[in-house]
Amino acid sequence: AAALSGAMAAEGPRSLFALSAAAVSRSMGALERDVWALPGHLLRGLLPLLTVFRLERAEGAARRAGLSTQPIWRKLWDDVMKTRPPNSENITCWRKKFLETFFSNVLHGVLDVSSDWRLNDNHFSPLLHSSPHVSQLTLCNMLQGAVELTAEHNQKVLENLAGSLRILKFQHLLSSDQSVRRSLVLLLHRLIHHGSVSQVSMYSWPVPDTVLLVLILSMSAGFWRSGNALAYHSSPCGLCREEDKAQSQESAQERAERGRCDEREWSDQKSSPRAPEEANAEVNGCRADACLNSVLSGLRSPPLRSQACNEASSRVPCDHTSIQGGSSPHCISDQLSCHPVLRNTRRRPKSAVGKKRRCLRRSRGPCADPEDLYDFVFTVAREDNSGLLDKNSATEGENTENWTSSSPGSPCAGHAGCKKRGGSAGIFFLKAGHRFRSVSTLELFSIPLTGETCRTLSNLLSSWVSLENLVLSYNGLGANVFCILSGLRALSRHSDCHLRVVRVSDVFSHMPCMELVRCILSALPQLHTLSVSFDLKNQLEGNRPGGNPSCSEAEIPESCLEQLEIRFPREPLHTAFLLPVIKASKSLQQLSLDSATLPCSQELGLLLEALKECNPNLKKLSFHDVNLAEHQKEVLLLLQDPVLQEITFSFCRLFESSTTEFLSEIINTVKRNSSLKSLKLPGNRLGNHRLVALADIFSEDSSSSLCQLDVSSNCIKPDGLLEFTKKLEGHIQQRGGQIQFTHLRLFQNWLDQDAETAQEALRRLKAVCSVVNDSWDSSQAFADYISVM
């Protein structure tokens, strides 16, 4: 109250209404219900005087009164955050934006709630009341945020996040101790396995802690061990207990069904003259059918949870007879439902001892070692892997070679880099875990992935059926890209595979871009979007590990590809390699080619012919940093295409060796094309005179439907922009104000050379269309250009 009074005093004398509103705002605890019933004109004056706690509660009353609180939340942002958020023009709800950022800042200790009177309220708990509005959260450094969120006093906060959070990001992570990792496990288990998080992204981790990285990847994929290791303040996860209780009830009903089935069959056997063998066969058949239904329902149902294996093993004995003699189909059913992933049909039969030991280990129950939680990640991370699989084989009766052979279900198949140092280290431990809910989007940016980590990721990917989007950016994959591909190939064989978007980018390419594109499409024909991008060509590209024949000769099956983006590391664009991809992608709608070189003039013509013949649905075509100075004929053919709706020639040197006639031909072609909606010409040195000429696209005799024009980075000066504006206004007037042009992009032009003229041009342009520009310092850019010459 004192802070509010001080703020009002600083603003000078106030009206009687303002003084009354301030008095009411100080007594909201007693008057809240009456205040919400006030007329709209009174409520409008009161809302800016409320604390964040009361303002958030006033949303319903404001909406009923026809008032918007958006301006108040925007002012709160300016006063408290004191920064301009990125893409502020796209923010649709400032209330959510403020509370989400407020939550993050308080969590990481960068905002003091005592800094503004509107944040001070005895009823306001910063994390608790802002958490329902958080859909995206970033954890960084030593994961202090994870420790705070899993503290006992924030249990309700975590429950709110489990319902609201969709995107979880990790940035600039550092190594952490076991107590921090335990907090992270609890957080991931609640937000992913029992929550709504659908995307996990990791950024900028130059020297990743393998233990931590594998932990996040595994839990994002829905894997973790069951048992009391997943405990929340010394008690097992309540949600897991409820699910296990429901599963136990279902199992009891199934056993009762089987019992009634047995009784009926035994009764029929006594009254029937049939042979005992026939009767026994039917009894076993009934049991097997019930068991099979149980297994299939488990595989069809949402992810397998928590302690199901422990309970199953305690209910059903797993001895030599039940395993070898097959007298207990229920035991086999439970084992299958507990391990639905990473199966291999070519595996050798396991010994009864190995099976028995596994069941005993699962049923340790309350006596489980608390470190059991970390067996999976720690062993994958710290073992040298030499002889690791041999040791596991001796313990578990596994056949190591089966996991690195080229069998259809085997991830990381056939690649020498995946077999070295004893093969795949993560398999045994993945099988020992259980499957929970998993995320649908995984993004890894600037995180180096070692061969060991790639093998673990490959094994996770091989059964990650919920995964829809995979982004691997600047991970230094090198030859390990084959390991990732092998996991994706195994994933694609699952009938319920949802993977539709794959984006791979790196500094060096281990293989030619087109060869990698063909490999990925051959493995994943169901993809809708594929993006492959490399900065530089690997000088040792030809020295590939053995056991991986080139994909360039492999036949590409017909794919579902709709969007293809390729950034070449200054490689020649050989149409012969791209054509099979084009022909296999009948549904292609967007094609982007970046930094390619055209070895001869015929290559582009062949590509355009193939696109016209094989891709009738192509709507967007983009060329970036491709020298088209000598391909004027092909450029004009593209601009008159009756199907394309968006064409981009970005930094393509269009006018480097052209004549005035070429510009006129471009303008006349666009004027006649009624299907083209967007034309992007950034970085082509248009200059003032060419920009002014482009205004004729909208002349009275034009049938163009162009809505968007991008002329960024084109050496445009203020006087040229003003002349373009005047000419455009004249054409609009001639057409009676009827024009479809709506967006103009002007980034990185020389508009700072005459600020007054630039402001006049922009003011007049904004009356015609939406203008997007920036305050670019052209002199500094020129200095930077000179410095690197």
Side-chain angles (χ1 to χ4, degrees), residues 534-589:
F534 293 102
D535 299 336
L536 301 170
K537 186 176 181 180
N538 193 343
Q539 298 300 319
L540 302 177
E541 186 178 280
N543 301 332
R544 301 182 192 133
N548 287 286
S550 169
C551 296
S552 58
E553 302 301 326
E555 184 178 351
I556 303 177
E558 185 170 340
S559 70
C560 303
L561 199 64
E562 297 177 357
Q563 182 175 347
L564 175 61
E565 302 171 0
I566 308 174
R567 182 174 180 231
F568 298 85
R570 295 297 170 188
E571 287 181 6
L573 174 58
H574 292 295
T575 313
F577 297 140
L578 183 57
L579 287 183
V581 175
I582 297 296
K583 292 178 179 178
S585 308
K586 304 292 186 184
S587 304
L588 194 65
Q589 297 180 20

Short mmCIF file of all heavy atoms in Angstrom, two decimals, residues 534-589:
data_model
loop_
_atom_site.label_atom_id
_atom_site.label_comp_id
_atom_site.label_asym_id
_atom_site.label_seq_id
_atom_site.Cartn_x
_atom_site.Cartn_y
_atom_site.Cartn_z
N PHE A 534 25.10 -28.62 -44.73
CA PHE A 534 26.50 -28.69 -44.32
C PHE A 534 27.22 -27.42 -44.76
O PHE A 534 26.94 -26.85 -45.81
CB PHE A 534 27.19 -29.92 -44.94
CG PHE A 534 26.67 -31.22 -44.41
CD1 PHE A 534 25.77 -31.98 -45.15
CD2 PHE A 534 27.05 -31.69 -43.16
CE1 PHE A 534 25.28 -33.17 -44.67
CE2 PHE A 534 26.55 -32.88 -42.67
CZ PHE A 534 25.67 -33.63 -43.42
N ASP A 535 28.18 -27.00 -43.93
CA ASP A 535 28.94 -25.79 -44.22
C ASP A 535 30.11 -26.06 -45.16
O ASP A 535 30.36 -25.31 -46.10
CB ASP A 535 29.47 -25.15 -42.94
CG ASP A 535 28.35 -24.73 -42.00
OD1 ASP A 535 27.23 -24.51 -42.50
OD2 ASP A 535 28.59 -24.63 -40.79
N LEU A 536 30.85 -27.13 -44.86
CA LEU A 536 32.08 -27.40 -45.59
C LEU A 536 32.14 -28.86 -46.01
O LEU A 536 31.58 -29.74 -45.35
CB LEU A 536 33.31 -27.08 -44.73
CG LEU A 536 33.44 -25.63 -44.24
CD1 LEU A 536 34.55 -25.53 -43.21
CD2 LEU A 536 33.68 -24.69 -45.41
N LYS A 537 32.85 -29.10 -47.08
CA LYS A 537 33.06 -30.44 -47.57
C LYS A 537 34.24 -31.07 -46.83
O LYS A 537 35.30 -30.46 -46.70
CB LYS A 537 33.33 -30.42 -49.07
CG LYS A 537 33.41 -31.78 -49.72
CD LYS A 537 33.59 -31.63 -51.22
CE LYS A 537 33.67 -32.98 -51.91
NZ LYS A 537 33.83 -32.83 -53.37
N ASN A 538 34.06 -32.29 -46.36
CA ASN A 538 35.13 -32.99 -45.66
C ASN A 538 36.20 -33.41 -46.67
O ASN A 538 35.92 -34.11 -47.64
CB ASN A 538 34.56 -34.22 -44.94
CG ASN A 538 35.54 -34.82 -43.96
OD1 ASN A 538 36.74 -34.55 -44.03
ND2 ASN A 538 35.03 -35.62 -43.04
N GLN A 539 37.44 -32.99 -46.41
CA GLN A 539 38.52 -33.32 -47.33
C GLN A 539 38.81 -34.81 -47.37
O GLN A 539 39.34 -35.34 -48.34
CB GLN A 539 39.80 -32.56 -46.93
CG GLN A 539 39.64 -31.05 -46.98
CD GLN A 539 39.28 -30.55 -48.38
OE1 GLN A 539 39.81 -31.04 -49.38
NE2 GLN A 539 38.37 -29.59 -48.45
N LEU A 540 38.44 -35.52 -46.30
CA LEU A 540 38.68 -36.96 -46.24
C LEU A 540 37.41 -37.73 -46.53
O LEU A 540 37.19 -38.82 -46.03
CB LEU A 540 39.21 -37.35 -44.85
CG LEU A 540 40.49 -36.63 -44.42
CD1 LEU A 540 40.86 -37.04 -43.00
CD2 LEU A 540 41.63 -36.93 -45.38
N GLU A 541 36.55 -37.12 -47.35
CA GLU A 541 35.22 -37.69 -47.59
C GLU A 541 35.28 -39.12 -48.13
O GLU A 541 34.45 -39.94 -47.83
CB GLU A 541 34.47 -36.80 -48.57
CG GLU A 541 33.05 -37.18 -48.80
CD GLU A 541 32.38 -36.20 -49.75
OE1 GLU A 541 31.98 -35.13 -49.30
OE2 GLU A 541 32.28 -36.54 -50.93
N GLY A 542 36.30 -39.40 -48.94
CA GLY A 542 36.34 -40.73 -49.56
C GLY A 542 36.73 -41.83 -48.61
O GLY A 542 36.50 -43.00 -48.88
N ASN A 543 37.32 -41.49 -47.45
CA ASN A 543 37.78 -42.52 -46.52
C ASN A 543 36.67 -42.91 -45.57
O ASN A 543 36.67 -42.54 -44.40
CB ASN A 543 39.01 -42.00 -45.73
CG ASN A 543 40.14 -41.62 -46.66
OD1 ASN A 543 40.26 -42.17 -47.74
ND2 ASN A 543 40.96 -40.67 -46.23
N ARG A 544 35.70 -43.61 -46.06
CA ARG A 544 34.60 -44.03 -45.21
C ARG A 544 34.89 -45.38 -44.60
O ARG A 544 35.57 -46.20 -45.20
CB ARG A 544 33.30 -44.10 -46.03
CG ARG A 544 32.94 -42.79 -46.66
CD ARG A 544 31.64 -42.93 -47.41
NE ARG A 544 31.46 -41.75 -48.25
CZ ARG A 544 31.11 -41.81 -49.51
NH1 ARG A 544 30.90 -42.96 -50.08
NH2 ARG A 544 30.98 -40.71 -50.20
N PRO A 545 34.37 -45.65 -43.40
CA PRO A 545 34.57 -46.96 -42.79
C PRO A 545 33.98 -48.06 -43.66
O PRO A 545 33.05 -47.84 -44.41
CB PRO A 545 33.81 -46.84 -41.46
CG PRO A 545 33.67 -45.36 -41.23
CD PRO A 545 33.61 -44.73 -42.57
N GLY A 546 34.54 -49.25 -43.51
CA GLY A 546 34.04 -50.38 -44.28
C GLY A 546 32.67 -50.82 -43.83
O GLY A 546 32.19 -50.47 -42.77
N GLY A 547 32.07 -51.62 -44.65
CA GLY A 547 30.76 -52.17 -44.29
C GLY A 547 29.60 -51.26 -44.60
O GLY A 547 28.49 -51.53 -44.20
N ASN A 548 29.84 -50.14 -45.29
CA ASN A 548 28.76 -49.22 -45.62
C ASN A 548 28.79 -48.88 -47.10
O ASN A 548 29.38 -47.89 -47.50
CB ASN A 548 28.88 -47.94 -44.80
CG ASN A 548 28.51 -48.19 -43.37
OD1 ASN A 548 27.35 -48.34 -43.04
ND2 ASN A 548 29.52 -48.27 -42.52
N PRO A 549 28.24 -49.68 -47.94
CA PRO A 549 28.23 -49.37 -49.36
C PRO A 549 27.49 -48.08 -49.63
O PRO A 549 26.60 -47.67 -48.89
CB PRO A 549 27.48 -50.57 -49.97
CG PRO A 549 26.69 -51.13 -48.85
CD PRO A 549 27.48 -50.89 -47.61
N SER A 550 27.86 -47.42 -50.69
CA SER A 550 27.25 -46.14 -51.03
C SER A 550 25.76 -46.28 -51.27
O SER A 550 25.28 -47.27 -51.79
CB SER A 550 27.93 -45.59 -52.29
OG SER A 550 27.22 -44.49 -52.78
N CYS A 551 25.02 -45.25 -50.83
CA CYS A 551 23.57 -45.26 -51.04
C CYS A 551 23.20 -44.73 -52.41
O CYS A 551 22.03 -44.75 -52.79
CB CYS A 551 22.89 -44.39 -49.97
SG CYS A 551 23.08 -45.00 -48.30
N SER A 552 24.18 -44.21 -53.15
CA SER A 552 23.85 -43.54 -54.40
C SER A 552 23.24 -44.48 -55.43
O SER A 552 22.53 -44.05 -56.32
CB SER A 552 25.11 -42.88 -54.98
OG SER A 552 26.12 -43.85 -55.18
N GLU A 553 23.51 -45.80 -55.31
CA GLU A 553 22.96 -46.75 -56.26
C GLU A 553 21.66 -47.38 -55.76
O GLU A 553 21.01 -48.11 -56.49
CB GLU A 553 23.99 -47.86 -56.54
CG GLU A 553 25.32 -47.34 -57.09
CD GLU A 553 25.14 -46.58 -58.39
OE1 GLU A 553 24.25 -46.97 -59.18
OE2 GLU A 553 25.86 -45.60 -58.63
N ALA A 554 21.33 -47.13 -54.48
CA ALA A 554 20.13 -47.74 -53.92
C ALA A 554 18.88 -47.13 -54.53
O ALA A 554 18.80 -45.92 -54.77
CB ALA A 554 20.10 -47.55 -52.40
N GLU A 555 17.90 -47.95 -54.79
CA GLU A 555 16.65 -47.46 -55.37
C GLU A 555 15.82 -46.79 -54.29
O GLU A 555 15.67 -47.30 -53.17
CB GLU A 555 15.86 -48.63 -55.97
CG GLU A 555 14.59 -48.19 -56.67
CD GLU A 555 13.85 -49.36 -57.30
OE1 GLU A 555 14.44 -50.46 -57.33
OE2 GLU A 555 12.72 -49.16 -57.75
N ILE A 556 15.29 -45.63 -54.60
CA ILE A 556 14.51 -44.88 -53.62
C ILE A 556 13.04 -45.25 -53.78
O ILE A 556 12.47 -45.07 -54.86
CB ILE A 556 14.69 -43.36 -53.82
CG1 ILE A 556 16.18 -43.00 -53.74
CG2 ILE A 556 13.91 -42.58 -52.78
CD1 ILE A 556 16.44 -41.53 -54.00
N PRO A 557 12.41 -45.75 -52.73
CA PRO A 557 10.98 -46.07 -52.84
C PRO A 557 10.17 -44.78 -52.93
O PRO A 557 10.64 -43.69 -52.57
CB PRO A 557 10.69 -46.81 -51.52
CG PRO A 557 11.73 -46.31 -50.57
CD PRO A 557 12.96 -46.03 -51.39
N GLU A 558 8.97 -44.90 -53.42
CA GLU A 558 8.10 -43.73 -53.49
C GLU A 558 7.87 -43.18 -52.09
O GLU A 558 7.49 -43.92 -51.18
CB GLU A 558 6.78 -44.08 -54.16
CG GLU A 558 5.89 -42.86 -54.37
CD GLU A 558 4.69 -43.17 -55.24
OE1 GLU A 558 4.73 -44.17 -55.97
OE2 GLU A 558 3.71 -42.39 -55.18
N SER A 559 8.11 -41.89 -51.92
CA SER A 559 8.07 -41.31 -50.58
C SER A 559 6.87 -40.37 -50.43
O SER A 559 6.20 -40.02 -51.41
CB SER A 559 9.36 -40.54 -50.30
OG SER A 559 9.41 -39.36 -51.10
N CYS A 560 6.65 -39.96 -49.17
CA CYS A 560 5.58 -39.01 -48.85
C CYS A 560 6.14 -37.61 -48.69
O CYS A 560 5.46 -36.72 -48.14
CB CYS A 560 4.89 -39.43 -47.56
SG CYS A 560 4.20 -41.10 -47.58
N LEU A 561 7.36 -37.37 -49.15
CA LEU A 561 8.05 -36.11 -48.90
C LEU A 561 7.29 -34.92 -49.47
O LEU A 561 6.89 -34.92 -50.63
CB LEU A 561 9.46 -36.17 -49.52
CG LEU A 561 10.47 -35.16 -49.00
CD1 LEU A 561 10.76 -35.41 -47.53
CD2 LEU A 561 11.75 -35.22 -49.81
N GLU A 562 7.10 -33.90 -48.63
CA GLU A 562 6.43 -32.67 -49.04
C GLU A 562 7.38 -31.48 -49.04
O GLU A 562 7.15 -30.51 -49.77
CB GLU A 562 5.25 -32.38 -48.10
CG GLU A 562 4.17 -33.44 -48.14
CD GLU A 562 3.06 -33.16 -47.15
OE1 GLU A 562 3.17 -32.16 -46.39
OE2 GLU A 562 2.08 -33.93 -47.11
N GLN A 563 8.42 -31.53 -48.23
CA GLN A 563 9.36 -30.41 -48.13
C GLN A 563 10.79 -30.94 -48.10
O GLN A 563 11.13 -31.76 -47.26
CB GLN A 563 9.07 -29.59 -46.88
CG GLN A 563 9.97 -28.37 -46.71
CD GLN A 563 9.57 -27.52 -45.51
OE1 GLN A 563 8.49 -27.69 -44.95
NE2 GLN A 563 10.43 -26.61 -45.11
N LEU A 564 11.62 -30.47 -49.02
CA LEU A 564 13.01 -30.89 -49.10
C LEU A 564 13.91 -29.67 -49.13
O LEU A 564 13.75 -28.77 -49.96
CB LEU A 564 13.24 -31.73 -50.37
CG LEU A 564 14.69 -32.16 -50.66
CD1 LEU A 564 15.23 -33.04 -49.52
CD2 LEU A 564 14.78 -32.89 -51.99
N GLU A 565 14.85 -29.63 -48.18
CA GLU A 565 15.81 -28.53 -48.09
C GLU A 565 17.22 -29.11 -48.09
O GLU A 565 17.53 -29.97 -47.27
CB GLU A 565 15.58 -27.71 -46.82
CG GLU A 565 14.19 -27.12 -46.69
CD GLU A 565 13.94 -26.50 -45.33
OE1 GLU A 565 14.87 -26.55 -44.49
OE2 GLU A 565 12.84 -25.99 -45.10
N ILE A 566 18.06 -28.64 -49.01
CA ILE A 566 19.43 -29.12 -49.10
C ILE A 566 20.37 -27.93 -49.15
O ILE A 566 20.23 -27.05 -50.01
CB ILE A 566 19.66 -30.00 -50.35
CG1 ILE A 566 18.62 -31.12 -50.43
CG2 ILE A 566 21.06 -30.61 -50.32
CD1 ILE A 566 18.70 -31.94 -51.70
N ARG A 567 21.30 -27.90 -48.22
CA ARG A 567 22.35 -26.88 -48.26
C ARG A 567 23.66 -27.58 -48.57
O ARG A 567 24.20 -28.33 -47.76
CB ARG A 567 22.44 -26.15 -46.92
CG ARG A 567 23.48 -25.05 -46.93
CD ARG A 567 23.45 -24.26 -45.63
NE ARG A 567 24.45 -23.22 -45.65
CZ ARG A 567 25.34 -23.03 -44.68
NH1 ARG A 567 25.35 -23.83 -43.64
NH2 ARG A 567 26.21 -22.05 -44.76
N PHE A 568 24.16 -27.33 -49.75
CA PHE A 568 25.37 -28.01 -50.22
C PHE A 568 26.62 -27.29 -49.71
O PHE A 568 26.66 -26.06 -49.68
CB PHE A 568 25.41 -28.00 -51.76
CG PHE A 568 24.29 -28.74 -52.41
CD1 PHE A 568 23.07 -28.11 -52.64
CD2 PHE A 568 24.43 -30.06 -52.80
CE1 PHE A 568 22.02 -28.78 -53.24
CE2 PHE A 568 23.38 -30.74 -53.40
CZ PHE A 568 22.18 -30.10 -53.62
N PRO A 569 27.66 -28.04 -49.32
CA PRO A 569 28.92 -27.40 -48.93
C PRO A 569 29.75 -27.05 -50.16
O PRO A 569 30.85 -27.57 -50.38
CB PRO A 569 29.59 -28.48 -48.08
CG PRO A 569 29.09 -29.76 -48.65
CD PRO A 569 27.69 -29.50 -49.12
N ARG A 570 29.18 -26.17 -51.00
CA ARG A 570 29.83 -25.78 -52.26
C ARG A 570 30.05 -26.99 -53.17
O ARG A 570 31.07 -27.11 -53.83
CB ARG A 570 31.16 -25.08 -51.99
CG ARG A 570 31.02 -23.76 -51.27
CD ARG A 570 30.25 -22.78 -52.13
NE ARG A 570 29.89 -21.57 -51.38
CZ ARG A 570 29.09 -20.63 -51.86
NH1 ARG A 570 28.56 -20.77 -53.06
NH2 ARG A 570 28.80 -19.57 -51.16
N GLU A 571 29.09 -27.88 -53.17
CA GLU A 571 29.18 -29.06 -54.04
C GLU A 571 28.50 -28.76 -55.37
O GLU A 571 27.54 -28.00 -55.43
CB GLU A 571 28.46 -30.26 -53.40
CG GLU A 571 29.18 -30.89 -52.24
CD GLU A 571 28.40 -32.09 -51.70
OE1 GLU A 571 27.37 -32.44 -52.31
OE2 GLU A 571 28.80 -32.64 -50.68
N PRO A 572 28.96 -29.38 -56.45
CA PRO A 572 28.25 -29.27 -57.72
C PRO A 572 26.88 -29.94 -57.62
O PRO A 572 26.73 -30.99 -57.00
CB PRO A 572 29.15 -30.02 -58.71
CG PRO A 572 30.49 -30.10 -58.06
CD PRO A 572 30.23 -30.14 -56.58
N LEU A 573 25.88 -29.29 -58.18
CA LEU A 573 24.53 -29.86 -58.21
C LEU A 573 24.41 -30.73 -59.46
O LEU A 573 24.13 -30.23 -60.55
CB LEU A 573 23.49 -28.74 -58.23
CG LEU A 573 22.02 -29.18 -58.41
CD1 LEU A 573 21.61 -30.14 -57.32
CD2 LEU A 573 21.10 -27.97 -58.46
N HIS A 574 24.64 -32.01 -59.28
CA HIS A 574 24.51 -32.95 -60.39
C HIS A 574 23.05 -33.41 -60.44
O HIS A 574 22.58 -34.15 -59.56
CB HIS A 574 25.45 -34.14 -60.20
CG HIS A 574 26.90 -33.77 -60.32
ND1 HIS A 574 27.45 -33.32 -61.49
CD2 HIS A 574 27.89 -33.78 -59.41
CE1 HIS A 574 28.74 -33.06 -61.30
NE2 HIS A 574 29.03 -33.33 -60.04
N THR A 575 22.35 -32.96 -61.44
CA THR A 575 20.92 -33.27 -61.53
C THR A 575 20.66 -34.76 -61.59
O THR A 575 19.61 -35.23 -61.13
CB THR A 575 20.33 -32.59 -62.79
OG1 THR A 575 20.78 -31.24 -62.84
CG2 THR A 575 18.83 -32.61 -62.76
N ALA A 576 21.62 -35.53 -62.10
CA ALA A 576 21.44 -36.98 -62.21
C ALA A 576 21.21 -37.60 -60.84
O ALA A 576 20.49 -38.60 -60.72
CB ALA A 576 22.66 -37.60 -62.89
N PHE A 577 21.81 -37.03 -59.78
CA PHE A 577 21.63 -37.56 -58.43
C PHE A 577 20.36 -37.05 -57.78
O PHE A 577 19.77 -37.71 -56.94
CB PHE A 577 22.84 -37.21 -57.55
CG PHE A 577 24.12 -37.82 -58.03
CD1 PHE A 577 25.30 -37.10 -57.98
CD2 PHE A 577 24.15 -39.11 -58.53
CE1 PHE A 577 26.50 -37.66 -58.42
CE2 PHE A 577 25.33 -39.69 -58.98
CZ PHE A 577 26.51 -38.96 -58.92
N LEU A 578 19.93 -35.82 -58.18
CA LEU A 578 18.73 -35.25 -57.58
C LEU A 578 17.45 -35.77 -58.24
O LEU A 578 16.42 -35.89 -57.59
CB LEU A 578 18.79 -33.72 -57.69
CG LEU A 578 17.65 -32.92 -57.07
CD1 LEU A 578 17.50 -33.24 -55.59
CD2 LEU A 578 17.88 -31.42 -57.27
N LEU A 579 17.53 -36.11 -59.52
CA LEU A 579 16.33 -36.53 -60.25
C LEU A 579 15.63 -37.73 -59.63
O LEU A 579 14.39 -37.74 -59.52
CB LEU A 579 16.68 -36.82 -61.71
CG LEU A 579 16.97 -35.61 -62.59
CD1 LEU A 579 17.24 -36.03 -64.03
CD2 LEU A 579 15.81 -34.62 -62.54
N PRO A 580 16.35 -38.81 -59.20
CA PRO A 580 15.64 -39.93 -58.57
C PRO A 580 14.86 -39.52 -57.33
O PRO A 580 13.78 -40.05 -57.06
CB PRO A 580 16.77 -40.91 -58.22
CG PRO A 580 17.88 -40.57 -59.16
CD PRO A 580 17.80 -39.10 -59.35
N VAL A 581 15.41 -38.56 -56.57
CA VAL A 581 14.70 -38.07 -55.39
C VAL A 581 13.45 -37.31 -55.80
O VAL A 581 12.37 -37.49 -55.22
CB VAL A 581 15.63 -37.15 -54.55
CG1 VAL A 581 14.87 -36.54 -53.39
CG2 VAL A 581 16.83 -37.93 -54.06
N ILE A 582 13.58 -36.47 -56.83
CA ILE A 582 12.44 -35.70 -57.33
C ILE A 582 11.34 -36.63 -57.82
O ILE A 582 10.15 -36.46 -57.53
CB ILE A 582 12.89 -34.76 -58.46
CG1 ILE A 582 13.89 -33.72 -57.94
CG2 ILE A 582 11.70 -34.08 -59.11
CD1 ILE A 582 13.34 -32.78 -56.92
N LYS A 583 11.73 -37.65 -58.59
CA LYS A 583 10.75 -38.57 -59.16
C LYS A 583 10.07 -39.42 -58.10
O LYS A 583 8.90 -39.79 -58.26
CB LYS A 583 11.43 -39.46 -60.20
CG LYS A 583 11.89 -38.70 -61.44
CD LYS A 583 12.61 -39.61 -62.42
CE LYS A 583 13.05 -38.84 -63.67
NZ LYS A 583 13.80 -39.68 -64.62
N ALA A 584 10.78 -39.73 -57.02
CA ALA A 584 10.18 -40.55 -55.95
C ALA A 584 9.30 -39.73 -55.03
O ALA A 584 8.54 -40.30 -54.24
CB ALA A 584 11.29 -41.22 -55.14
N SER A 585 9.38 -38.40 -55.13
CA SER A 585 8.63 -37.51 -54.22
C SER A 585 7.49 -36.85 -54.97
O SER A 585 7.52 -35.65 -55.27
CB SER A 585 9.57 -36.47 -53.61
OG SER A 585 10.71 -37.08 -53.03
N LYS A 586 6.47 -37.61 -55.27
CA LYS A 586 5.34 -37.10 -56.06
C LYS A 586 4.55 -36.03 -55.31
O LYS A 586 3.86 -35.22 -55.93
CB LYS A 586 4.39 -38.25 -56.42
CG LYS A 586 5.05 -39.41 -57.16
CD LYS A 586 5.48 -39.02 -58.54
CE LYS A 586 6.00 -40.24 -59.32
NZ LYS A 586 6.51 -39.86 -60.66
N SER A 587 4.65 -36.02 -53.96
CA SER A 587 3.86 -35.08 -53.17
C SER A 587 4.64 -33.83 -52.80
O SER A 587 4.18 -33.02 -51.98
CB SER A 587 3.38 -35.76 -51.88
OG SER A 587 2.66 -36.94 -52.17
N LEU A 588 5.82 -33.63 -53.39
CA LEU A 588 6.68 -32.51 -53.02
C LEU A 588 6.00 -31.17 -53.25
O LEU A 588 5.48 -30.90 -54.34
CB LEU A 588 7.98 -32.58 -53.83
CG LEU A 588 9.13 -31.68 -53.35
CD1 LEU A 588 9.61 -32.14 -51.98
CD2 LEU A 588 10.28 -31.70 -54.34
N GLN A 589 6.00 -30.33 -52.21
CA GLN A 589 5.37 -29.00 -52.29
C GLN A 589 6.38 -27.88 -52.13
O GLN A 589 6.14 -26.76 -52.60
CB GLN A 589 4.29 -28.87 -51.22
CG GLN A 589 3.14 -29.84 -51.40
CD GLN A 589 2.09 -29.67 -50.32
OE1 GLN A 589 1.99 -28.63 -49.67
NE2 GLN A 589 1.28 -30.70 -50.11
#
